[in-house]
Amino acid sequence: MAAEIQPKPLTRKPILLQRVEGSQEVVNMAVIVPKEEGVISVSEDRTVRVWLKRDSGQYWPSIYHVMPSPCSCMSFNPETRRLSIGLDNGTISEFILSEDYNKMTPVKNYQAHQSRVTMILFVLELEWVLSTGQDKHFAWHCSESGQRLGGYRTSAVASGLQFDVETRHVFIGDQSGQVTILKLEQDNCTLVTTFRGHTGGVTALCWDPVQRVLFSGSSDHSVIMWDIGGRKGTAIELQGHNDKVQALSYAQHTRQLISCGGDGGIVVWNMDVERQETPEWLDSDSCQKCDQPFFWNFKQMWDSKKIGLRQHHCRKCGKAVCGKCSSKRSSIPLMGFEFEVRVCDSCHEAITDEERAPTATFHDSKHNIVHVHFDATRGWLLTSGTDKVIKVGCYLFSETFHLWPYVNIPEPQGCEVRSQGYSQR
């Protein structure tokens, strides 16, 4: 049963100073250009755009390139300035950006999929291009020769893709709610395992190669932290969204997970705490506290001459209880419940105020986020959404104030920029 989310009041709030409406359709993906004050974006309107800050202090469209099909996703490698763009027609187009980011040079096209490309990863160490598509296929190509090296058919359309260079394991999350782990070789792959913890489709994946932890976001409004590093498959559930989780990013240096929802909610999770697994819900024909029968337990209802009750579960101990024995609610942040959920009366009394201390902060981006990118070197956070808007902000995740930096961008071909005054908290 879905729990009602009641987020805690914000103690820290980013201040939005401007919004850039630079596309005619949805901005499917955008990234911050490292060591530059600029952004690369791809959109459903078939455009690839590069915005750079010039000597005048303004951001100008250095590149405005129109593709033959809507741009569904992208992968940018700052070391080689290689830009791989996934298209709606199944093609992956590769470009090299010039050192001044004022020119795109076509390199090659990969006929990777039969339909829309959903995710792309470029692996510099192996010279591989990994991709998934709506044709329910995962494929990898050699970026030097353009040759297809291998493929794997997924159980459903894949919407999450991550890769561990050290072990050559690829993680694929699909719309059935399953996460598949494959071991890749040069021209073949081996299925390692599959696991399922979401009741909805997987919408985003994020990999921490240091802690060896995989995060998966889902349309069931939850995030699950999977311990791939050997601790017997530990899975930690994080509940903090009112809508489907659509994007994830991880700040490795501070061990903070950023999750973004379809309702515009941004949740920053502190993962530098010892979290606990949520217990499995126990099965019982009667309340495990007062022994009252549940409504399907006809024999006990007849024997005791009592009307059956509705079954609930305590989120802390997992016991099957009736409403009378679970009349209290409490947040359990170390179990991932940052909002109040149903607990049995005995567990409610046992939870201390210290255990109720929040481990996440909640923010409202005020647009439907489809992609997020975090630049850890400068603490910049970028979000793009279905409202055709890209937002770039300075977000240091500290107790100091947060700013959304002022960006002044001219209007090419209908691009509209709306700015608000500078302020700080």
Side-chain angles (χ1 to χ4, degrees), residues 19-308:
R19 44 184 274 159
V20 179
E21 298 180 358
S23 297
Q24 303 304 311
E25 298 293 341
V26 177
V27 179
N28 286 316
M29 195 169 288
V31 297
I32 299 168
V33 180
K35 301 179 182 179
E36 296 282 350
E37 294 190 60
V39 171
I40 304 171
S41 66
V42 296
S43 171
E44 203 70 26
D45 65 5
R46 301 190 299 144
T47 63
V48 180
R49 307 180 189 225
V50 179
W51 305 88
L52 287 182
K53 187 176 182 180
R54 300 305 187 185
D55 294 338
S56 63
Q58 293 184 325
Y59 277 71
W60 291 90
S62 299
I63 296 174
Y64 183 93
H65 185 83
V66 179
M67 301 295 293
S69 182
C71 306
S72 55
C73 56
M74 63 177 283
S75 175
F76 177 65
N77 181 267
E79 295 182 42
T80 61
R81 300 186 305 283
R82 186 192 304 258
L83 179 64
S84 305
I85 302 169
L87 302 180
D88 189 65
N89 61 13
T91 303
I92 297 176
S93 295
E94 194 171 272
F95 299 85
I96 297 295
L97 299 183
S98 60
E99 290 187 12
D100 59 4
Y101 291 94
N102 285 313
K103 183 180 179 181
M104 288 172 55
T105 303
V107 178
K108 63 174 68 73
N109 288 328
Y110 307 86
Q111 300 303 320
H113 298 276
Q114 298 300 314
S115 57
R116 185 181 179 92
V117 182
T118 55
M119 291 295 293
I120 302 175
L121 286 179
F122 171 65
V123 184
L124 176 61
E125 294 84 349
L126 301 171
E127 293 289 344
W128 285 355
V129 176
L130 316 180
S131 63
T132 56
Q134 285 190 348
D135 57 0
K136 299 182 182 179
H137 272 87
F138 160 73
W140 70 103
H141 291 75
C142 174
S143 62
E144 293 182 330
S145 65
Q147 179 184 359
R148 182 185 176 97
L149 299 176
Y152 180 86
R153 182 171 177 82
T154 57
S155 60
V157 174
S159 47
L161 180 65
Q162 291 288 290
F163 183 71
D164 181 62
V165 177
E166 181 182 348
T167 63
R168 296 191 181 185
H169 284 149
V170 64
F171 308 96
I172 306 169
D174 63 47
Q175 292 181 2
S176 73
Q178 179 174 286
V179 177
T180 301
I181 303 180
L182 304 174
K183 174 64 181 269
L184 298 190
E185 301 297 342
Q186 184 64 27
D187 56 2
N188 64 79
C189 66
T190 305
L191 176 64
V192 177
T193 188
T194 61
F195 45 87
R196 184 188 296 270
H198 292 288
T199 58
V202 175
T203 53
L205 292 180
C206 188
W207 172 244
D208 176 10
V210 177
Q211 301 295 325
R212 308 202 63 74
V213 167
L214 180 72
F215 300 97
S216 61
S218 171
S219 58
D220 64 8
H221 306 183
S222 72
V223 177
I224 295 181
M225 180 181 75
W226 307 90
D227 183 5
I228 310 296
R231 291 193 299 176
K232 299 180 180 179
T234 304
I236 304 295
E237 190 173 351
L238 305 175
Q239 295 279 357
H241 285 277
N242 283 304
D243 205 334
K244 61 181 177 180
V245 179
Q246 300 210 121
L248 296 173
S249 186
Y250 187 67
Q252 196 174 96
H253 65 300
T254 58
R255 294 197 63 186
Q256 288 175 307
L257 176 70
I258 307 163
S259 60
C260 302
D263 59 354
I266 298 177
V267 184
V268 182
W269 305 87
N270 178 14
M271 304 310 298
D272 197 23
V273 294
E274 190 66 31
R275 294 188 177 271
Q276 305 167 16
E277 278 192 286
T278 53
E280 292 187 11
W281 286 3
L282 303 178
D283 293 326
S284 179
D285 291 329
S286 59
C287 176
Q288 294 181 299
K289 292 293 183 179
C290 68
D291 203 37
Q292 284 271 64
F294 294 131
F295 63 83
W296 61 81
N297 190 349
F298 298 109
K299 183 179 185 303
Q300 188 175 346
M301 283 193 293
W302 178 264
D303 293 342
S304 61
K305 300 297 188 290
K306 294 179 180 179
I307 298 176

